Amino acid sequence: MSRYWSAVVHGLTPYVPGEQPKLADLVKLNTNEHPYGPSPRALEAIRAATDDSLRLYPDPNADALKAALAQRHGVQANEVFVGNGSDEVLAHAFMALLHHERPLRFPDITYSFYPVYCQLYGIAHQAVPLAEDFALRAEDYLPRGAERAGAIVFANPNAPTGRLLALADVERIVAANPDAVVLVDEAYIDFGGQSAVPLVQRYPNLLVVHTFSKSRALAGLRVGYAIGQAPLIEGLERVKNSFNSYPLDRLALAGALASVQDEAYFQESCRKVIATRTALVERLSALGFEVLPSAANFIFARHPRHDAAQLAAKLRERAIIVRHFKQPRIAQFLRITIGTDAQCETLVEALREILAG
């Protein structure tokens, strides 16, 4: 704390990212990183970009990457926005599109950066409780008389629960709120969900945000993007160019472009994660865990007879790291990233020993 801080800084409670411990032989299942690594074509493109051109600024508009993303998603290039990770894309969206007189609505259990952005930008907001089974209910986001949201944001699949909202229900929310931007944060959609991107052409109030950090295994590169109709994207560009005109460096642009162009690798690596998730859910269920339905590259699980914090601590003693949240509604759950088959085998055997102890 310093007397030189602004009043805004004094009032902030920053987001706490997942731990990145530097331990040897660690089974790291706490931050939802992809277990199989990025496309070899992406790695080669990054290596090729490490030449004398690094003395030059990167393309501030990321035209080649936007064109590739537009082609993949069936939209126009001016309907794509890119940023330094989806967190930066979200931050710009909160400022450009979600800050209104009426409150912003999002689930009470969701990505914990949302309330941080609200605090940073002074955005009035309402946390909407999930159902008892942690499902997001579309009807909770429909207008009731004069009660309407200024904007809506939710992750789909949700984090940290992993639960998926069906595309038809996403459309219900978007269609019922024509005067409010609805931002759908699809960081994990490639692991089992149906993207809302095809709805963009019909709904001018819909913005869909994706990341290269999860399904494309490029968390260390920091690339995210949004898709929406051109007026929404223009709003994001105005904020971006008032903040940092060069959010993606040359290496990030090269690697992300090559990743988009390697569709076969992308699809196969996602299939592997989904198969491992299915097997892990079966094995944890056999050990007595309750596992929420997941369409993400992680699962959310609790054991009726064992405290989650103690389980996490005992796993850590065995060099296995999972994520434990202390929020009251979810304090007895562990969020477990889907690792390799070998990592998940190590996890299951460790839990078997702990539960038997």
Side-chain angles (χ1 to χ4, degrees), residues 52-188:
D52 183 64
S53 67
L54 289 178
R55 66 187 176 82
L56 303 173
Y57 283 107
D59 175 6
N61 295 317
D63 288 329
L65 178 57
K66 287 180 181 178
L69 289 168
Q71 181 178 24
R72 184 180 189 277
H73 289 287
V75 300
Q76 300 300 310
N78 67 351
E79 296 175 317
V80 181
F81 175 82
V82 298
N84 189 253
S86 62
D87 285 337
E88 182 180 78
V89 176
L90 289 168
H92 291 343
F94 269 67
M95 177 176 285
L97 305 173
L98 307 184
H99 192 203
H100 301 284
E101 289 185 8
R102 288 178 170 168
L104 169 65
R105 292 180 183 168
F106 51 78
D108 65 334
I109 305 297
T110 191
Y111 186 30
S112 56
F113 228 137
Y114 299 161
V116 173
Y117 292 135
C118 289
Q119 190 179 35
L120 178 63
Y121 297 133
I123 301 175
H125 58 283
Q126 294 176 347
V128 180
L130 296 174
E132 287 298 314
D133 62 357
F134 299 99
L136 188 151
R137 296 171 294 209
E139 55 268 25
D140 290 342
Y141 295 86
L142 306 184
R144 293 183 177 88
E147 183 185 351
R148 297 176 182 273
I152 296 168
V153 59
F154 57 88
N156 194 39
N158 197 14
T161 67
R163 297 212 57 165
L164 180 72
L165 184 66
L167 184 59
D169 286 325
V170 173
E171 185 170 11
R172 284 179 64 202
I173 295 172
V174 177
N177 293 276
D179 297 324
V181 171
V182 178
L183 191 160
V184 185
D185 184 354
E186 293 188 341
Y188 302 100

Side-chain angles (χ1 to χ4, degrees), residues 57-70 77-78 80-84 212 223-225 237 240-241 244-250 252-254 256-257 260:
Y57 283 107
D59 175 6
N61 295 317
D63 288 329
L65 178 57
K66 287 180 181 178
L69 289 168
N78 67 351
V80 181
F81 175 82
V82 298
N84 189 253
F212 280 68
V223 180
Y225 62 99
E237 294 285 359
K240 168 245 182 183
N241 287 319
N244 177 11
S245 295
Y246 301 95
L248 296 187
D249 61 48
R250 285 179 169 270
L253 289 171
L257 177 60
V260 174

